[in-house]
Amino acid sequence: LIIDTFGRGCTKLYFVLDEASNGPKEYHGVETLTISLPSNKKKKKIFRVQTELNNFDWFIKADDDTFIMTENMRGFLQYYDPNYPHYLGHTLRARWGEENLIFNSGVCYVMSRGALNKLGPYISHLPSLPALTARSHCIDREGAGEDPTMGVCMGGVGIRPGKFYLFVCNTLDHEMRERFLIFRPEDHVKIIREDTWYWAFKPPQVKQGEDCCSPYIVCAHNYKLLDEAQYWYPILQEKYNQPKDWSKIPLPPLPRTFIYDPSQANFEFDDYFNIKNPPVGQRICLGPGKEWQCAGCNLSDPEDLCRYTFLCITLCLLLCSFHCFSRISSHFIVFIEMLVAPSEHRTDFTYFVSQNLTFYISQRQQMIYSKGSKKSMNYITFAVFVENLLKQFKDFFLKKRPKHE
């Protein structure tokens, strides 16, 4: 059904399948991407996308019950530079004040080649933690909400709204109407402003009711039943995916800073919209050259000698692996900051170390790939070894210290 409707408008179409489904390698000529769920799903998807970076300008992630208006999407994206780090979609703000999370709904969001180039080295080797752990962190874990996780990962490298980093563009049209719909069009017109997650921090100028949506919407969602999709998809295809004369259609607004309702924002935040006290260990950006900073990490807390001992051991492994310390010296301080994070935040301890370590490994891996070598698996194996070692150390560490609430 997708192939016969909006799939025609995609330059390249992938179907992502769970490995356990034992699906085919292709379906009606469309390649399938098989991944193991629930763990490692983001790693493998991003790794596969990285191999396609030079072939395409824009990458769309959509749910299987989302219809994409590819004609309108192309018309919208033609005004943006794909080499700039753009992260486009329907921005949700409900978790901003408590968790420092601003993200695009996973119904459908778009990432430019520039965004994935910037994010790739950090996300290719995410550490894995158990379900319900570190919900506000850029990690790979069972039960992770894919869209907020992507939002916090993007935010860590500066792909987030702010005074200088305008990478999360405001996708409302020139009349403040929604372009990325997270429900069906006929359902959006029924939504009126009220105290719900949907309206949280949305400025009062955003339209509602019959005026809610742009005539050039780029997606619609919630066609979960097959018979409903079979009925609606041809109708949506005929209505929205026909060729248009874009020279007669108003341009989208210029990229602008993050907009919000000041009357709802009764908390402190900085120029990059980071709240005063982000979750400890969350990766945040504090400006150009200050990406991937560790929130709340305390370099002046030397109480745990075992952590410093382990730091020395890990650095030795790093030096043996990379052969050249100069390759990682620019990140050395960040690495130390992560290791000496306050011990009471013990659930994030493995994350602190393995996240930065595997970032270095992924950087090294990219260098090897660029030289055409097949030795990169040695570094992946090394990353897995170190992550397992860290988990064992964490278990030992927790047994030796009293638990903090």
Side-chain angles (χ1 to χ4, degrees), residues 46-229:
I46 294 294
F47 178 77
R48 182 56 177 271
V49 166
Q50 282 184 286
T51 66
E52 300 279 14
L53 280 180
N54 294 327
N55 299 328
F56 304 102
D57 294 333
W58 299 96
F59 299 83
I60 301 173
K61 180 271 163 186
D63 287 351
D64 56 4
D65 58 338
T66 296
F67 185 91
I68 303 174
M69 291 68 177
T70 49
E71 171 67 18
N72 292 348
M73 185 75 81
R74 288 177 180 275
F76 172 58
L77 294 177
Q78 67 180 317
Y79 301 106
Y80 294 91
D81 180 0
N83 293 312
Y84 199 73
H86 289 298
Y87 169 48
L88 309 167
H90 187 117
T91 304
L92 299 176
R93 311 158 175 85
R95 295 170 66 179
W96 176 28
E98 295 292 330
E99 300 176 68
N100 200 39
L101 270 178
I102 306 168
F103 61 96
N104 287 329
S105 169
V107 163
C108 176
Y109 57 79
V110 184
M111 300 168 288
S112 67
R113 179 171 58 238
L116 289 173
N117 266 324
K118 192 172 182 65
L119 179 66
Y122 294 87
I123 203 174
S124 293
H125 297 285
L126 291 179
S128 298
L129 289 179
L132 305 179
T133 302
R135 292 178 64 247
S136 306
H137 292 71
C138 179
I139 62 172
D140 173 47
R141 63 172 169 80
E142 183 177 353
E146 171 267 327
D147 39 359
T149 300
M150 179 60 75
V152 75
C153 293
M154 288 283 191
V157 297
I159 306 177
R160 176 172 175 162
K163 287 188 176 180
F164 302 101
Y165 281 11
L166 299 174
F167 303 154
V168 181
C169 293
N170 185 342
T171 58
L172 300 172
D173 74 2
H174 61 291
E175 295 186 21
M176 300 289 282
R177 298 174 295 187
E178 298 289 357
R179 198 185 304 266
F180 285 76
L181 304 191
I182 59 177
F183 306 111
R184 301 184 189 188
E186 61 270 24
D187 292 330
H188 268 273
V189 300
K190 302 173 185 177
I191 300 175
I192 59 173
R193 187 173 291 273
E194 54 188 347
D195 186 18
T196 63
W197 60 268
Y198 179 86
W199 291 105
F201 301 107
K202 282 192 177 184
Q205 297 89 343
V206 174
K207 300 295 177 60
Q208 60 179 315
E210 295 292 337
D211 297 326
C212 67
C213 309
S214 168
Y216 307 106
I217 58 175
V218 298
C219 67
H221 174 245
N222 206 25
Y223 300 95
K224 296 186 182 301
L225 300 179
L226 180 58
D227 58 343
E228 291 181 329

Side-chain angles (χ1 to χ4, degrees), residues 64 67 99 130 141 161 177 197 255 278 288 305 309 326 334 345 347 364 376 391 395 405:
D64 56 4
F67 185 91
E99 300 176 68
R141 63 172 169 80
R177 298 174 295 187
W197 60 268
L305 180 61
T309 302
S326 62
V334 176
H345 306 289
T347 56
R364 179 64 173 167
S376 58
K391 289 177 179 178
D395 292 338
E405 294 301 324

